[in-house]
Structures are given as C-alpha cells and as structure tokens.
Amino acid sequence: MIENYIDKLIGYALEKKLIEKEDEILCRNRILEILGLDEYIEREDDGKTLELWQILEGICDFAVEKGILTDTVTCRDLFDTKLMGALTPMPSNVIAKFNSLYANSPEAATDYFYELSKSTNYIREDRIKKDMRWKTDSKYGSIDISVNLSKPEKDPRDIAAAKSAVQSGYPKCHLCREAEGYAGRMNYPARQNHRIIPITIGGNPWRLQYSPYVYYNEHCIAFNAEHTPMAITHNTFEKLLDFVTVFPHYFIGSNADLPIVGGSILSHDHFQGGRYDFAMASADIKIPL
C-alpha cells in the first residue's frame, strides 16, 4: 500500500530531524499532492525496516504504475528529489543552524551541514557506496586511486528527451546559487533538496555546498556568489588561504582555468575541498640537486 511508504518516508524525516512532529500532517499532504492523491487512509505499520532508497523506490514504482512518472533514471531522480524537497528545511533555518554551531565550532557546523545533505538524499549514499577507492604503494610513495561508479548511466530515452527539451539559461550553470530549490528538467538535475551556506572569502560573498557525487570525505565546493569565470590570479591564493582560515579542518584546492586539463565548470569561479588527507599531503619533499 502506498500509505505504508508515505508513512515510512514521514517517519524517516522525523527520525533525521528534517521536520518536527508539528509538521507531520502538512508534509504528508505535500507528498499526497505530489502523488496526485486526494485522500490518506491510515494503515497499520507492516513492521518492515527500509532504507531511504527503498522507500523512495517504492513510491516511484507506485508513480510509474499510475502513469505519473516515466520509468527512467533521470525521471525517477527528478521525482524522488521533489519528494525529498517537501521534507527539506527552508534555507533560512539551515543557515541559522549552521551559523549558530559555527560560533562555537566550525567543525560542528560542517558536521551538521554534511549530515543534512546526506539525510535529504542530496548526497545519495546508496550510490556513493558503489564507488571503488583504495591506496596503493609505489616507488613514489602512496597513491590514491578511485573509480567513480555513483553517477548512473544515461538511459537512451533520457538522452533523447534532453536533446529535444527547451533550452534554458536558468540557472546559468550547475553552481549558480539560483539552483537552490530548482525543480530541474531533463538536462538539469532537480535541486529541491539542495541547500547552500553563505560565506565570505577574500572580503567577497561566496557560497558553500557539498558535491552530490563525493569523490572523498566531505567533498565540498566553495563558489563565487556571482556567475563569474574562473581565473587563476594572485588573488586566487589569497582566497584559498582565507577559506582554510574560515574552515581550518578542511583542505581546499582549485582546478586550472584551462579546458585542456579537465577543469569542470570554468564558467563559474569555484574551489573544491573537503576533509581528507590525500597521499600527496604526506609525500616526501624532494629538492632536485
């Protein structure tokens, strides 16, 4: 019964403190609206314990059966993100909580924000677990190796739909702050469960978020509040040092501003950081004679 899955999703949101008990009825009604249901019949709990991905999969299966949803990975991702968006705290609440924790401990603030990003399914933990990571020794020292398996393969139907979709310049890119809460489309991911923290870097307004496909622990992205191209200048190093002053338990780095070296989004100035010790950080220093 779909009510069982709805109850489990609401129960999950309560357990993860995404919502309070007083929000339960309102949030259930939001889910009913998304599913096109006019009523809710309370059912006895079946006693089964399900992971979040299983709950969302069950609801998506119902939506496919009812003709609400096309059964492709992209369509399912757009739909289950909409479901989670109905349970995600408002940006003002997230920012207030983050700032309150930061006043006592930057680490506590990022711990909260990272857990929230996972709890809302913005970071899809069930997919991240598929990634392969290991260290290996070499004559040059320890080397980090990873194989990204968390990004799902595109369904040909999704590719065709994205090709024929109306092109939009909003948001301008995947890093723009306007992505927060955006419903998404076939060629742009849904972001109703996405939250962003305002920070100040180099005296200018920047933003902090996590990468939905983490390549290492607490893989974060710091980005300019304005859509401005990447440019490696003397000021870049000042901003990098400023970031680790604000978040001393994180490292930070930057892609080159050249497309030939695999830079990700060169149209928007950003850095990538996190809470991880790469092999390079502990490598010996060799000075050529």
Side-chain angles (χ1 to χ4, degrees):
M1 295 291 182
I2 186 59
E3 289 88 354
N4 207 354
Y5 283 112
I6 294 174
D7 287 346
K8 290 186 186 302
L9 184 59
I10 296 295
Y12 170 88
L14 287 167
E15 178 189 350
K16 295 296 183 179
K17 301 187 184 306
L18 299 179
I19 64 173
E20 300 296 333
K21 187 66 178 176
E22 294 79 6
D23 305 323
E24 184 176 352
I25 293 176
L26 183 147
C27 289
R28 182 189 296 121
N29 285 333
R30 284 180 173 176
I31 301 301
L32 294 176
E33 179 185 1
I34 293 170
L35 292 171
L37 298 175
D38 296 325
E39 61 180 359
Y40 166 79
I41 302 173
E42 189 171 354
R43 308 280 183 180
E44 185 176 344
D45 183 39
D46 62 7
K48 295 180 181 178
T49 301
L50 299 179
E51 299 289 336
L52 176 60
W53 70 267
Q54 294 173 308
I55 298 171
L56 293 174
E57 186 176 76
I59 297 177
C60 284
D61 287 345
F62 171 84
V64 169
E65 181 182 334
K66 295 299 181 181
I68 302 170
L69 174 64
T70 302
D71 193 13
T72 69
V73 173
T74 298
C75 289
R76 279 177 173 262
D77 283 358
L78 290 169
F79 192 80
D80 68 20
T81 301
K82 187 175 185 178
L83 292 170
M84 292 308 299
L87 305 171
T88 300
M90 292 297 286
S92 57
N93 294 335
V94 175
I95 294 167
K97 176 77 171 179
F98 182 93
N99 289 339
S100 174
L101 291 169
Y102 184 91
N104 294 315
S105 166
E107 186 175 338
T110 56
D111 284 349
Y112 156 72
F113 189 36
Y114 190 59
E115 286 304 313
L116 177 74
S117 298
K118 292 189 292 184
S119 297
T120 59
N121 210 40
Y122 169 71
I123 296 175
R124 295 175 181 262
E125 289 191 277
D126 60 301
R127 292 182 182 172
I128 302 302
K129 290 176 182 177
K130 298 176 183 178
D131 290 346
M132 300 170 62
R133 296 185 177 91
W134 67 95
K135 290 180 179 288
T136 187
D137 292 327
S138 76
K139 65 179 181 180
Y140 303 105
S142 178
I143 299 175
D144 287 290
I145 300 175
S146 63
V147 179
N148 176 31
L149 300 173
S150 55
K151 282 190 177 181
E153 292 292 331
K154 286 286 187 180
D155 187 299
R157 291 172 294 176
D158 290 334
I159 296 172
K163 184 178 180 180
S164 60
V166 175
Q167 296 301 306
S168 171
Y170 182 89
K172 292 179 181 177
C173 76
H174 286 70
L175 289 181
C176 283
R177 56 182 176 170
E178 288 81 9
E180 186 176 41
Y182 186 60
R185 51 186 189 268
M186 293 304 295
N187 55 3
Y188 195 104
R191 288 290 181 259
Q192 291 100 322
N193 57 352
H194 178 40
R195 296 295 179 262
I196 298 169
I197 302 294
I199 59 175
T200 300
I201 299 294
N204 295 310
W206 277 53
R207 298 292 186 267
L208 177 73
Q209 68 175 59
Y210 287 104
S211 170
Y213 295 104
V214 295
Y215 293 157
Y216 43 79
N217 187 45
E218 297 184 39
H219 180 175
C220 67
I221 302 173
F223 60 99
N224 197 311
E226 300 301 323
H227 183 75
T228 183
M230 284 189 68
I232 305 301
T233 66
H234 181 274
N235 185 244
T236 299
F237 297 93
E238 293 179 348
K239 288 184 287 189
L240 291 170
L241 291 171
D242 200 11
F243 179 90
V244 294
T245 301
V246 177
F247 300 105
H249 56 298
Y250 275 3
F251 77 88
I252 194 72
S254 176
N255 290 322
D257 55 359
L258 304 171
I260 59 173
V261 294
S264 50
I265 303 178
L266 301 183
S267 62
H268 199 132
D269 195 16
H270 71 285
F271 307 133
Q272 298 188 60
R275 197 171 184 177
Y276 184 77
D277 293 325
F278 284 103
M280 182 172 64
S282 58
D284 293 335
I285 298 175
K286 292 186 178 180
I287 302 175
L289 298 176

